[in-house]
């Protein structure tokens, strides 16, 4: 009895690694690798318009996605609508990431000091990030609502405008509204990441810089920045990647409208595959996004390797 | 120019150190002012949707918008449960988020521990595969996920596809949260001294006993962080729920809230009430477990 118990124990111990890693691995392979495989396969097929059968079309979906109809060959003209929603994506992601980064850095630096009630402020700051994005998107749609919205309410009371403004019906204003909402949601994330980085800066270095009479700017550049670099890169990577692929806010606020002026990659992908049931072209867009994401990760990862953490 | 006493001295002396305010004190008040302004701007929209949720529908659409409800009412909250199946949406959200959390925390803890402690063949490549899975843009996978969930079942005897079931959502959310859970837990275990495990082994514990009795209890804060984040992410998820569900038998609260948006008319007062219910766990966790959430994000994102 004693002996069989012991050998069972030894067997269980020997199986510790496979038993703890195995299930996770199997799950991840089935729910990620298999869909990724299906994504690539789907991107090479189209449903026949008449028979509804699946047809292998090679890279045709990519050609339709990227290049203007009627263009003969690959290296001709880019599809104007592809150019338009790619430009929207860049404007949206670029502005929103830049603004939330600068704002987040400012708030993090204000919080990185000995303030009474700091923990309360941090609590108040974190909440917007963990609300459902649908909630936040609809909330901002309500804020910007054409007649009864709070922003029109303010502007009317202050006398800035005479009549309500239909923010979400104007392409430029709708894009501004999306960026405002996105900055509102994600600045807290930037604050948390950068604050964690700021707290890793050794206090003595600040004291030393002060003794040396370094200016504020030089203190930031020579003391804070080198330590903050890894956090900055993490914040930027995650912000960029998330904004590129996030659909929630855009979809509930504008659905890509008015007249596609806020259409971004994510909303195009969703519309193509779900509304127009064009799985092949939707999958091609998915493959493209995958490639772009990996590109960005690789570029930013290269920056990473010089960080003080890695040593 | 004012002289500049140390922070400690300024605190001891208070503000009135001389004719001028010392820089440190003035700076602190500026910091307070700016931070308060930011917090007010940050919370105003939440306040606005909250007061909308307790306004009678008629008052919600007054021009210009009113910022204080004249007749607060709970009618909108009652309505969404009586006129719409909000109890089902809430139940679905709870089942999906809880199940996902339990699976992700259990597997994430076990796997994270092994990656933190054991050197085995291909461990780095495996960890990279698991963590790299987090980098996938989920939306790129809506086409295959929709197709797979609509496929007829692989195993005979199962009736129907997984489309429009809570199981479909749970599987999807495991894909979102498991890699992240493994990563947070691995980093958490890295911070617990290995000497504890070694001592347990010397005392005759098996690998399992050492893990469960000695190391696991020390990892509670990490487990809390992982659980809170997995729960919140699953509770909040919208896009996949939109694609993979179609009836109230599996639709979750974010979908329920989005259903208030009709093409030309939005019932803002009731939408606000539904939104507040969907936002409730976020607000609750944010207010009471901020510390765990922050440690979870920073461990998951920045390797310390």
């Amino acid at each position: 009895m004693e002996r069989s118990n012991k050998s069972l124990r030894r067997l269980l111990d020997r199986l510790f690694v496979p038993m703890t890693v195995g299930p996770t691995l199997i799950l991840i392979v089935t729910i990620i690798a298999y869909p990724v495989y299906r994504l690539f396969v789907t991107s090479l097929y189209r449903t026949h318009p008449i028979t509804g059968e699946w047809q292998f079309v090679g890279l045709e979906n990519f050609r339709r996605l990227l290049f203007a109809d009627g263009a003969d060959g690959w290296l001709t003209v880019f599809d104007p609508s592809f150019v338009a929603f790619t430009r929207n994506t860049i404007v949206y992601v670029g502005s929103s990431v830049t603004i939330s980064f600068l704002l987040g850095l400012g708030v993090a630096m204000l919080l990185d000091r000995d303030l009474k009630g700091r923990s309360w402020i941090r609590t108040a700051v974190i909440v917007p990030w963990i609300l459902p994005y649908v909630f936040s998107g609809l909330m901002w749609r309500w804020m910007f609502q054409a007649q009864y919205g709070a922003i029109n309410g303010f502007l009317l009371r202050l006398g800035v405008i005479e009549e309500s403004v239909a923010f979400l019906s104007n392409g430029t204003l709708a894009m501004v509204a999306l960026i405002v909402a996105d900055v509102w949601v994600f600045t807290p994330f930037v604050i948390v990441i950068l604050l964690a980085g700021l707290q890793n800066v050794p206090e003595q270095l600040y004291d030393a810089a002060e003794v040396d009479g370094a200016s504020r700017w030089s203190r930031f550049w020579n003391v804070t920045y080198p330590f903050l670099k890894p956090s900055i890169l993490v914040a930027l990577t995650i912000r960029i990647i998330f904004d590129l692929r996030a659909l929630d806010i855009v979809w509930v606020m504008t659905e890509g409208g008015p007249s596609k002026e806020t259409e971004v990659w994510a909303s195009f992908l969703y519309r193509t595959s779900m509304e127009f049931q064009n799985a092949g072209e939707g999958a091609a867009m998915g493959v493209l996004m995958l490639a772009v994401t990996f590109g960005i990760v690789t570029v930013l990862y290269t920056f990473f390797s010089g960080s003080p953490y890695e040593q | 120019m004012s002289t500049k006493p140390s922070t400690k001295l300024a605190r001891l002396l208070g503000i009135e150190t001389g004719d001028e305010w010392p820089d440190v004190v003035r700076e602190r008040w500026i910091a307070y002012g700016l931070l308060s302004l930011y917090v007010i701007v940050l919370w105003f929209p939440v306040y606005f949707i909250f007061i909308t949720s307790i306004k009678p529908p008629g008052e919600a659409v007054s021009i210009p918008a009113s910022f204080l409800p004249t007749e607060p009412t709970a009618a909108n909250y009652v309505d969404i449960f009586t006129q719409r199946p909000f109890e089902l949406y809430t139940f679905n959200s709870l089942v999906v988020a809880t199940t996902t959390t339990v699976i992700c925390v259990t597997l994430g803890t076990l796997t994270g521990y092994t990656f933190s402690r054991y050197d085995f063949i291909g461990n780095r490549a495996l960890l990279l595969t698991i963590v790299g899975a987090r980098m996938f843009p989920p939306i790129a996978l809506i086409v295959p996920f929709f197709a797979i969930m609509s496929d007829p079942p692989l195993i005979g005897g199962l009736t129907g596809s997984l489309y429009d079931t809570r199981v479909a959502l749970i599987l999807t959310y495991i894909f979102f949260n498991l890699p992240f859970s493994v990563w947070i837990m691995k980093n958490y275990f890295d911070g617990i001294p290995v000497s504890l495990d070694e001592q347990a082994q010397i005392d005759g514990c098996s690998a399992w006993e050492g893990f469960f009795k000695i190391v696991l209890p020390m990892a509670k804060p990490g487990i809390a962080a992982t659980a809170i984040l997995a729960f919140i992410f699953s509770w909040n998820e919208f896009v996949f729920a939109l694609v993979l569900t179609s009836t109230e038998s599996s639709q979750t609260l974010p979908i329920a809230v989005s259903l208030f948006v009709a093409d030309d008319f939005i019932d803002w007062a009731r939408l606000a009430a539904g939104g507040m219910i969907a936002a409730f766990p976020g607000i609750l966790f944010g207010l009471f477990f901020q510390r765990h959430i922050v440690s979870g994000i920073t461990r998951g994102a920045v390797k310390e």
Side-chain angles (χ1 to χ4, degrees), chain A residues 31-281:
Chain A
I31 52 187
I32 298 183
Y34 180 58
V36 171
Y37 161 77
R38 289 275 295 245
L39 175 76
F40 278 94
V41 172
T42 312
S43 75
L44 302 177
Y45 281 83
R46 275 191 101 79
T47 39
H48 191 277
I50 299 159
T51 60
E53 270 172 27
W54 282 99
Q55 280 182 311
F56 180 81
V57 291
L59 297 175
E60 173 67 11
N61 288 319
F62 292 89
R63 196 193 64 78
R64 285 191 191 216
L65 176 66
L66 290 167
F67 301 102
D69 273 346
D72 47 349
W74 277 84
L75 294 167
T76 45
V77 199
F78 275 112
D79 185 81
S81 70
F82 180 81
V83 173
F85 66 75
T86 301
R87 192 188 51 222
N88 292 340
T89 310
I90 294 171
V91 169
Y92 174 57
V93 177
S95 319
S96 156
V97 171
T98 310
I99 298 169
S100 69
F101 176 76
L102 293 177
L103 183 61
L105 179 64
V107 175
M109 290 187 63
L110 286 175
L111 274 172
D112 182 39
R113 60 177 74 205
D114 210 10
L115 287 179
K116 270 195 196 117
R118 198 176 76 161
S119 148
W120 275 102
I121 301 173
R122 214 166 61 162
T123 302
V125 164
I126 192 86
V127 168
W129 181 68
I130 46 179
L131 299 179
Y133 302 137
V134 164
F135 173 85
S136 308
L138 287 169
M139 184 185 78
W140 279 102
R141 186 166 169 168
W142 182 216
M143 292 286 290
F144 282 111
Q145 207 276 344
Q147 286 100 37
Y148 328 110
I151 292 178
N152 273 316
F154 271 123
L155 296 177
L156 284 172
R157 283 222 172 78
L158 292 173
V160 179
I161 50 171
E162 304 260 303
E163 259 176 53
S164 302
V165 179
F167 292 98
L168 299 174
S169 313
N170 170 305
T172 313
L173 290 179
M175 181 57 92
V176 171
L178 284 183
I179 293 167
V180 168
D182 204 68
V183 166
W184 185 89
V185 172
F186 291 104
T187 304
F189 171 79
V190 178
I191 296 172
V192 168
I193 298 287
L194 294 187
L195 190 57
L198 284 172
Q199 286 170 350
N200 284 335
V201 185
E203 202 65 38
Q204 311 92 283
L205 285 182
Y206 282 127
D207 297 342
E210 199 148 334
V211 170
D212 289 348
S215 72
R216 200 173 273 249
W217 176 246
S218 134
R219 252 183 295 167
F220 176 78
W221 198 246
N222 294 313
V223 181
T224 316
Y225 177 71
F227 281 88
L228 204 55
K229 221 169 102 185
S231 307
I232 291 176
L233 285 166
V234 166
L236 287 181
T237 317
I238 295 181
R239 283 288 289 111
I240 294 171
I241 291 173
F242 192 90
D243 263 12
L244 269 184
R245 72 199 194 185
L247 174 67
D248 319 52
I249 290 173
V250 174
W251 197 253
V252 298
M253 278 181 78
T254 65
E255 291 193 24
S259 54
K260 307 250 167 119
E261 288 187 74
T262 57
E263 184 91 311
V264 290
W265 279 6
S267 60
F268 172 81
L269 197 164
Y270 180 81
R271 194 187 308 282
T272 310
S273 20
M274 293 300 142
E275 277 185 6
F276 300 140
Q277 308 234 328
N278 190 343
E281 202 169 321

Side-chain angles (χ1 to χ4, degrees), chain B residues 44-80:
Chain B
F44 178 78
V46 180
Y47 167 77
F48 186 62
I49 207 154
F50 171 69
I51 56 167
T52 305
S53 79
I54 56 169
K55 281 177 187 174
E59 198 195 328
V61 291
S62 64
I63 303 176
S66 68
F67 295 124
L68 264 178
T70 45
E71 281 175 75
T73 165
N76 297 317
Y77 288 90
V78 176
D79 285 354
I80 58 172

Side-chain angles (χ1 to χ4, degrees), chain A residues 9 12-13 20 24 32 35 38-39 114 116 122-124 130 132 134-135 139 142 148 157 184 196 216 245 270 290, chain B residues 11 27 32 42-43 45 52 61 65 67 111 114 133 136-137 140 147 151 175 204 207-208 236 238 242 268 275 290:
Chain A
R9 260 182 66 161
L12 278 176
D13 263 10
T20 50
T24 300
I32 298 183
R38 289 275 295 245
L39 175 76
D114 210 10
K116 270 195 196 117
R122 214 166 61 162
T123 302
I130 46 179
V134 164
F135 173 85
M139 184 185 78
W142 182 216
Y148 328 110
R157 283 222 172 78
W184 185 89
R216 200 173 273 249
R245 72 199 194 185
Y270 180 81
L290 211 63
Chain B
R11 205 184 304 140
E27 265 181 35
Y32 271 128
L42 209 56
W43 276 80
T52 305
V61 291
F67 295 124
T111 312
T114 303
F136 271 105
D151 278 348
F175 144 58
W208 293 93
N236 290 354
F238 170 67
L242 185 64
W268 283 109
Q290 173 255 118

